Amino acid sequence: MSPTPAKLALIGFGAFGQLIAAHLPPHLRVHVIDPDPAAQSAALARGLCPAGIEVVGDCDWVLLAVPLGALRPVLHQIAPLLRPGAVVMDVVSVKEEPARLMQDVL
């Protein structure tokens, strides 16, 4: 019996989210969270799991691939859902503001 793969909630399926998702499925079960129906269809076409924000509570890893302006609202959405020990990371091109927001909100 093989162990259950770790789960990743990928929030945002734009260009960078799609790039990341192209490389992670052999290592993690990737759940794609993006409100855009086209993004959800693209995720499904790649064999990924389109999901709602609530899946964050079942994931070991959360990767935020959203624009800086969307980061605070997303953090407020996921904060009550995160499980203890979950790792939250971002791919925003700047680092100081996202780090400050994550410390403030999470």
Side-chain angles (χ1 to χ4, degrees):
M1 178 183 251
S2 63
T4 303
K7 298 175 188 170
L8 171 85
L10 173 58
I11 302 177
F13 203 58
F16 204 88
Q18 290 180 36
L19 174 66
I20 292 167
H23 300 283
L24 293 179
H27 311 287
L28 299 162
R29 182 170 172 89
V30 179
H31 297 276
V32 175
I33 302 163
D34 194 304
D36 181 10
Q40 294 171 11
S41 294
L44 195 55
R46 292 176 183 213
L48 303 172
C49 308
I53 197 77
E54 66 281 348
V55 78
V56 166
D58 193 36
C59 290
D60 308 288
W61 303 81
V62 179
L63 181 55
L64 306 168
V66 298
L68 180 59
L71 192 57
R72 180 181 292 276
V74 169
L75 291 171
H76 280 286
Q77 277 187 295
I78 68 169
L81 303 172
L82 291 170
R83 66 196 254 183
V87 175
V88 179
M89 56 203 139
D90 74 278
V91 293
V92 178
S93 61
V94 295
K95 290 295 145 209
E96 287 183 25
E97 182 66 6
R100 186 190 65 73
L101 284 172
M102 283 190 268
Q103 285 204 306
D104 288 352
V105 177
L106 303 180

